[in-house]
Amino acid sequence: MVKAIRVHELGGPEVLKWEDVEIGEPKEGEIRVKNKAIGLNFIDVSCRKGHFVLSPTPFTPGMEAVGVVTAVGPGLTERKVGDVVAYAGLPMGSYSEEQILPANVAVPVPPSIDPIVAAAIMVKGMTAQFLVRRCFKVESGHKVLIHAAAGGVGSLLCQWANALGATVIGTVSTEEKAAHAKENGCHHVINYKNEDFVEAVKKITPEGVHVVYDSVGRDTFKGSLACLRSRGYMVSFGLASGPPDSVPLSDLATKSLFLTSGSLFQYITTRDELLETAEDVFANVASGVLRVHVNHKYPLAQAAQAHADVESRKTTGSVVLIPDDAEL
């Protein structure tokens, strides 16, 4: 038996329960991993609430972790006991001291990358990678609007877009977060609590921005569309404030706008895509283009408190959960 966080009913942070679970041994094509560090992502909150339904209850949440391989299934040669591996995405279940994974979803972690950093960067870093490199290819001279610019993904988007030569505009909710956004490469920071972000963006760039990266959802969605220039791209990749209202096609037609909802899982559907994306992220961490801010660490057993703090926007950068018996 190992300890894990379990969800028996959908709801607030209080539904996250610390329980004993039996995970068994790896079958053909599987590995057993003892987790060293577990990344917390807003999709975990969305799954807990039922906004994303990826598994019936009860389930163990979590979609990102770094750990050591402790057992391999029959006939498996690609992985061996002692390997340090990371994974992001499905199967859900990383909020656990140990877990069984398909070997093909695990990627090797370079020795130069700290396990805590790797756990903080897998989902967020690969999300940033597909957003700026493939969903909309950011280039020098582009003007980019990034909501939640001090958050885990937002801070990486700011850094990466800046490194690619874009003018980066970020929105935040506090002056403390504004300082973090500037450190992460924002050329212009808008505190939406103090001013209307649409009007602020128009003052910075009257013609509008080339692309908006919006992880907030309902609260910012219509304003994001209003910030776009003609033929601009609206990329929705999160629903922190809930799903937006439906958008009539006529709202897009006035400026010939493009609207997409991007999901990391659709950009790492093959083993080659997964490895290329992860390697790109690790390379940019190693080169210093991406600076990973692990500003909050919680014991895995206190996942409920971590979720509460994330939802109340008390956190900046990345949040990592640490199993009590992890050896770092």
Side-chain angles (χ1 to χ4, degrees):
M1 302 286 280
V2 300
K3 286 286 191 179
I5 296 291
R6 297 287 285 170
V7 174
H8 294 271
E9 59 180 336
L10 304 176
E14 70 279 359
V15 304
L16 298 171
K17 304 299 183 183
W18 184 235
E19 299 179 353
D20 290 320
V21 297
E22 182 63 59
I23 64 170
E25 293 300 322
K27 301 179 178 62
E28 186 174 353
E30 294 180 335
I31 55 177
R32 179 166 173 154
V33 179
K34 183 179 178 62
N35 286 332
K36 286 175 166 283
I38 299 153
L40 192 162
N41 299 282
F42 208 89
I43 193 172
D44 303 344
V45 174
S46 297
C47 290
R48 190 202 74 221
K49 288 181 169 182
H51 292 167
F52 286 116
V53 180
L54 298 177
S55 173
T57 56
F59 62 83
T60 298
M63 307 180 76
E64 173 182 52
V66 172
V68 177
V69 177
T70 58
V72 299
L76 190 64
T77 58
E78 292 82 8
R79 296 266 68 89
K80 66 181 185 299
V81 172
D83 286 351
V84 178
V85 297
Y87 101 101
L90 298 175
M92 188 165 57
S94 65
Y95 285 24
S96 181
E97 292 176 332
E98 297 186 48
Q99 65 185 130
I100 302 293
L101 288 173
N104 63 0
V105 306
V107 301
V109 177
S112 60
I113 305 294
D114 184 275
I116 290 179
V117 170
I121 197 70
M122 282 295 289
V123 168
K124 299 176 186 69
M126 292 200 298
T127 297
Q129 197 274 353
F130 93 79
L131 288 171
V132 300
R133 303 303 292 154
R134 290 183 285 166
C135 187
F136 176 89
K137 191 174 178 62
V138 174
E139 297 177 351
S140 180
H142 281 161
K143 294 181 173 65
V144 176
L145 174 62
I146 299 169
H147 289 299
V153 175
S155 62
L156 297 174
L157 283 173
C158 292
Q159 294 174 41
W160 215 325
N162 183 307
L164 291 169
T167 297
V168 182
I169 306 169
T171 70
V172 297
S173 59
T174 69
E175 291 308 309
E176 180 185 3
K177 291 184 177 183
H180 283 295
K182 289 178 182 177
E183 291 173 2
N184 288 321
C186 272
H187 300 93
H188 306 276
V189 182
I190 302 165
N191 185 334
Y192 65 82
K193 296 288 188 180
N194 299 335
E195 58 182 327
D196 181 279
F197 75 84
V198 177
E199 294 303 316
V201 168
K202 288 181 179 178
K203 290 178 183 177
I204 297 166
T205 173
E207 70 276 16
V209 298
H210 293 84
V211 60
V212 178
Y213 293 112
D214 191 329
S215 61
V216 177
R218 179 183 290 120
D219 291 351
T220 55
F221 196 83
K222 288 187 176 180
S224 294
L225 289 174
C227 290
L228 290 170
R229 64 175 56 201
S230 176
R231 292 178 287 173
Y233 279 71
M234 167 70 174
V235 183
S236 172
F237 68 98
L239 303 171
S241 64
D245 297 329
S246 59
V247 179
L249 286 176
S250 57
D251 285 3
L252 305 179
T254 54
K255 291 191 287 186
S256 294
L257 301 178
F258 296 85
L259 171 62
T260 185
S261 180
S263 168
L264 169 63
F265 309 134
Q266 300 304 317
Y267 285 81
I268 53 172
T269 56
T270 68
R271 177 71 177 168
D272 286 344
E273 284 180 333
L274 171 62
L275 289 173
E276 289 172 8
T277 305
E279 287 168 2
D280 193 14
V281 171
F282 288 144
N284 277 277
V285 172
S287 69
V289 167
L290 297 180
R291 300 177 308 281
V292 185
H293 304 296
V294 184
N295 294 337
H296 309 274
K297 302 172 190 175
Y298 297 78
L300 176 58
Q302 295 178 19
Q305 184 62 56
H307 272 230
D309 290 348
V310 167
E311 282 190 271
S312 59
R313 300 188 179 183
K314 292 180 180 177
T315 63
T316 59
S318 294
V319 178
V320 172
L321 306 174
I322 308 294
D324 289 341
D325 60 349
E327 296 179 3
L328 297 171

